Amino acid sequence: SEALVLNGNVERFEVTNNTVHDVNNIGIDFIGGERDIQPDPQRVARDGACRGNRVYRARSRYGGGFAAGIYVDGGKNIIVERNAVSECDLGIEVGAENQGVAATGIVARDNLVFRNDKAGMAFGGYAASAGRVRDSVFENNTLYDNDTLGLGYGELWIQWAENNSVRNNIVAKDSGSLLLLVEPGAGDNTIDFDLWHAPGGAGAAAFAWRGTEYAGFEAYRAASGMDANSLFADPRLVAPPLDLHLRSHSPARDAGDPAFAPAPGEADLDGAPRVAGSRVDLGADEITCGNGTLDPGEACDDGNLSDCDGCDSNCTPSATCGNYIVCPPEQCDDGNRNAGDCCSPSCTFEPPGGTCDDGDLCTAQDRCDGSGHCAGLAAPEPICRSPVAPGASVLVARNRPADARGALSWRWLKGAATDPSAFGNPTATTRYALCVFDSSAAPQPVVRAELPAGSLWQAARSGFRYGNRSGSAGGVRRVAVRAGEPGQARIRLAARGAQLVLPTSWTLPVTAQLKNDGAECWGATYSEAVRNEPGLLRARSD
């Protein structure tokens, strides 16, 4: 059930400053319309506030996994503000599950919603037969890099809802392209004065509007009539996802709706004044650094935005190791005091050749370059479990460029000894990647598919299974990994569809590897092919 729930005839409440984490359903829930709890449809959770809470890893183990960190289900006149929600099925959701019930007067503002599995923020009834969301406001939130499973729900998901306002938000991705999903059943809502961003620029961003997906920000604006005053730009966050504050020169500064006026007592995510400049800043953070006043969240403020003058442009003392700003005698500053990341705990360059992690599972032998950066080789991992018998691994790749469809099958059988602990826990934390290299001069790997941790993984006998019907993670639909003694461990992987990118020809030898972020690797090399022709590779391992 829900971890913390107010249901039925509950009014004038405050739920503040709690930490809710690692629960198997919704984190915090406000409910109205369940008539077996309260038959009067007017006596719902109402006239309250949900403020300053931290919710993470709230995931449902049933129903496909749609648990929100914070959920309003049929409630009325509730303020949801200054919360931080991450690694849940959904971040913040406002809905109404019961027919004839409407969630109204909900204000979701000044929240940080990041790295959730399926969507960042969602509102609306889930079906035509369910309730509705009306007359609610979603403003000044920062949504960052949600839909981590790549299932196509985007950062913001709007279902059966009408007469709601979405404004002054930052909606940004670090990977993927889908920013907005508006279902065909959505009514008339207003979306404007937001900042949108995705890798690849405005032309590569995707927006799904009432059943049609539009490639590019301008195509979406023309088709929907929304976001006439919005921006597509890098929000210049300090260090996402660890620090989602705005840098002092962010385009989100003073870019909000000029008609916006903060509600009495409203503050930004740090408790600082909600409007510090000529207009409200977009997102959950209001830039107050440089106004000469020591506001909440600031260690200093000297009235300017200069660095290395004693008080830096993020209002932290100069030459403070870990504040992201390099001031002498610092050589680097990556925002932490950790060793092994090429910038030492004293903010000096770690020696070249030191081991590090560049974050890319398809690179090998990651090393520091002596200038504060970590880089790996785009080549197979040299230490990797292999089959114990020749020909025990089979790789088949078919490419159909005419209709952008391909298929790949990889069977790794009679594998080297593998203990179950090597698989980590992909249902919660362990990431995987399929990396296939050939010997051509093409950028390597020639096939890449990254499989995030989460509910698409399920524990199985001596291992785990992965299932994704959409193939949104590089086309991979199924994976099964099984531990065992020498000759008994095995892996099966199948991928197909438009998300699978395959080369039209292969240069032998080819190496296929499945790797995880626990530094574990399973792979095979194919020096000869049973068939190798344009559009088809069939090979058995050495």
Side-chain angles (χ1 to χ4, degrees):
S1 189
E2 300 85 358
L4 193 164
V5 58
L6 282 66
N7 192 344
N9 188 23
V10 187
E11 62 179 336
R12 297 189 296 274
F13 56 81
E14 291 188 357
V15 177
T16 63
N17 303 312
N18 301 282
T19 300
V20 180
H21 65 95
D22 294 289
V23 297
N24 67 357
N25 200 351
I26 297 161
I28 302 175
D29 199 0
F30 307 97
I31 302 178
E34 295 185 344
R35 289 177 172 82
D36 55 336
I37 298 292
Q38 172 51 253
D40 186 342
Q42 301 305 314
R43 294 186 176 185
V44 301
R46 62 196 183 276
D47 303 323
C50 177
R51 178 183 302 115
N53 302 286
R54 176 76 177 95
V55 185
Y56 56 97
R57 292 196 295 271
R59 292 176 169 125
S60 173
R61 297 183 182 274
Y62 68 94
F66 286 89
I70 298 175
Y71 185 30
V72 178
D73 170 18
K76 299 181 186 298
N77 304 324
I78 299 173
I79 296 173
V80 181
E81 65 179 358
R82 296 171 55 195
N83 303 284
V85 186
S86 65
E87 299 175 88
C88 303
D89 289 331
L90 306 174
I92 295 176
E93 182 180 12
V94 179
E97 296 185 8
N98 296 285
Q99 189 172 26
V101 174
T104 61
I106 311 303
V107 178
R109 66 192 184 198
D110 310 307
N111 299 287
L112 293 180
V113 185
F114 59 100
R115 300 289 295 167
N116 293 285
D117 295 352
K118 294 183 173 70
M121 187 168 285
F123 66 87
Y126 67 87
S129 59
R132 298 290 185 269
V133 175
R134 300 188 179 102
D135 307 319
S136 296
V137 175
F138 304 84
E139 65 185 10
N140 284 104
N141 302 288
T142 296
L143 312 183
Y144 177 78
D145 205 29
N146 297 285
D147 192 16
T148 58
L149 295 179
L151 298 181
Y153 297 102
E155 297 289 318
L156 176 62
W157 181 18
I158 302 176
Q159 299 173 279
W160 296 83
E162 59 267 349
N163 201 36
N164 302 288
S165 173
V166 178
R167 65 171 180 169
N168 299 341
N169 302 285
I170 289 175
V171 185
K173 298 188 75 67
D174 180 57
S175 60
S177 59
L178 185 64
L179 293 169
L180 174 67
L181 171 60
V182 179
E183 300 283 10
D188 292 331
N189 301 285
T190 301
I191 308 174
D192 205 0
F193 289 99
D194 299 301
L195 184 151
W196 304 85
H197 187 254
F207 299 79
W209 181 260
R210 294 179 176 171
T212 301
E213 184 168 316
Y214 294 92
F217 184 52
E218 294 305 326
Y220 147 71
R221 290 208 295 186
S224 67
M226 298 289 120
D227 281 304
N229 297 289
S230 296
L231 307 173
F232 194 99
D234 184 342
R236 298 180 189 170
L237 304 172
V238 170
L242 299 177
D243 190 340
L244 298 178
H245 288 82
L246 298 173
R247 293 185 180 273
S248 58
H249 302 295
S250 169
R253 188 169 194 166
D254 296 340
D257 186 346
F260 173 85
E266 182 181 358
D268 80 342
L269 65 94
D270 298 311
R274 183 59 267 194
V275 179
S278 59
R279 288 158 57 176
V280 68
D281 296 347
L282 302 179
D285 180 32
E286 186 77 16
I287 300 173
T288 57
C289 186
N291 66 359
T293 300
L294 194 64
D295 294 303
E298 297 176 350
C300 60
D301 195 323
D302 58 1
N304 65 61
L305 297 176
S306 299
D307 291 326
C308 306
D309 62 351
C311 184
D312 289 341
S313 59
N314 59 4
C315 283
T316 59
S318 299
T320 299
C321 186
N323 76 344
Y324 300 101
I325 295 174
V326 179
C327 290
E330 297 176 333
Q331 295 178 314
C332 57
D333 195 323
D334 58 1
N336 65 60
R337 296 190 177 187
N338 300 330
D341 59 2
C342 302
C343 185
S344 77
S346 59
C347 284
T348 57
F349 297 143
E350 292 183 349
T355 59
C356 58
D357 184 357
D358 67 357
D360 187 344
L361 292 179
C362 286
T363 59
Q365 303 180 56
D366 298 348
R367 297 291 185 270
C368 296
D369 65 0
S371 299
H373 302 105
C374 180
L377 298 176
E381 181 67 43
I383 302 175
C384 193
R385 293 177 183 84
S386 300
V388 299
S393 179
V394 179
L395 176 67
V396 179
R398 294 183 175 89
N399 189 13
R400 295 170 56 183
D403 55 4
R405 293 176 61 188
L408 182 145
S409 171
W410 187 52
R411 289 181 293 163
W412 188 86
L413 307 176
K414 298 181 180 181
T418 299
D419 188 84
S421 63
F423 295 135
N425 185 9
T427 67
T429 57
T430 306
R431 296 184 299 121
Y432 276 76
L434 171 69
C435 315
V436 183
F437 304 82
D438 77 354
S439 300
S440 69
Q444 301 292 330
V446 292
V447 179
R448 175 201 295 264
E450 299 181 6
L451 310 178
S455 59
L456 295 180
W457 289 93
Q458 300 292 328
R461 180 184 175 186
S462 300
F464 294 90
R465 293 194 305 267
Y466 172 89
N468 182 353
R469 292 182 179 180
S470 72
S472 56
V476 176
R477 306 297 178 104
R478 298 185 307 278
V479 180
V481 295
R482 184 172 179 177
E485 299 296 325
Q488 297 179 352
R490 62 176 182 258
I491 297 172
R492 296 178 185 270
L493 182 149
R496 62 180 173 83
Q499 299 295 325
L500 175 64
V501 180
L502 294 172
T504 56
S505 61
W506 297 81
T507 303
L508 299 173
V510 171
T511 299
Q513 295 183 336
L514 183 69
K515 303 172 66 176
N516 69 24
D517 58 7
E520 303 287 352
C521 178
W522 299 263
T525 298
Y526 309 86
S527 297
E528 297 182 1
V530 178
R531 293 182 65 181
N532 185 10
E533 58 193 51
L536 175 62
L537 171 69
R538 183 187 298 272
R540 290 187 174 273
S541 59
D542 297 354

